[in-house]
Amino acid sequence: MTTPTSFDLKARLVAILGDKFGLPEDEVLSGATFDELDIDSLVLVELSLILRKELGVDLAEGDLDSSFRIDDAVAAVEAKRAMV
């Protein structure tokens, strides 16, 4: 299995947020926080489960936070991947 680059990971996160949660790509990429995008803790848990299934990255509760922007989420996932 190849490891996605930061760009690929960001694109995948944007796609998941659009496909699964109905968030427009331009809004996700606007620099808004997850909280500003109305992404609550339940969505973050579901996103974590999707990433575990797709990428094998085990994100604990709190690894993704509502104060994060998309780039922060990418960094958090990359940090967890580096630990594996």
Side-chain angles (χ1 to χ4, degrees):
M1 178 165 123
T2 61
T3 305
T5 64
S6 294
F7 178 78
D8 294 338
L9 181 56
K10 185 174 182 175
R12 187 63 196 127
L13 283 171
V14 170
I16 291 168
L17 291 170
D19 296 344
K20 298 283 185 182
F21 305 106
L23 292 167
E25 179 179 342
D26 60 331
E27 286 185 28
V28 175
L29 295 173
S30 72
T33 65
F34 287 158
D35 191 44
E36 292 168 336
L37 295 169
D38 292 326
I39 296 174
D40 63 19
S41 60
L42 292 176
V43 171
L44 292 175
V45 168
E46 189 170 347
L47 179 60
S48 296
L49 293 172
I50 293 167
L51 293 172
R52 179 183 310 160
K53 182 178 178 184
E54 287 191 13
L55 304 176
V57 177
D58 191 18
L59 296 166
E61 187 175 338
D63 284 343
L64 296 178
D65 189 85
S66 63
S67 67
F68 283 8
R69 291 169 169 74
I70 190 70
D71 290 332
D72 301 320
V74 170
V77 172
E78 288 179 333
K80 280 294 190 169
R81 270 197 330 209
M83 297 173 72
V84 176

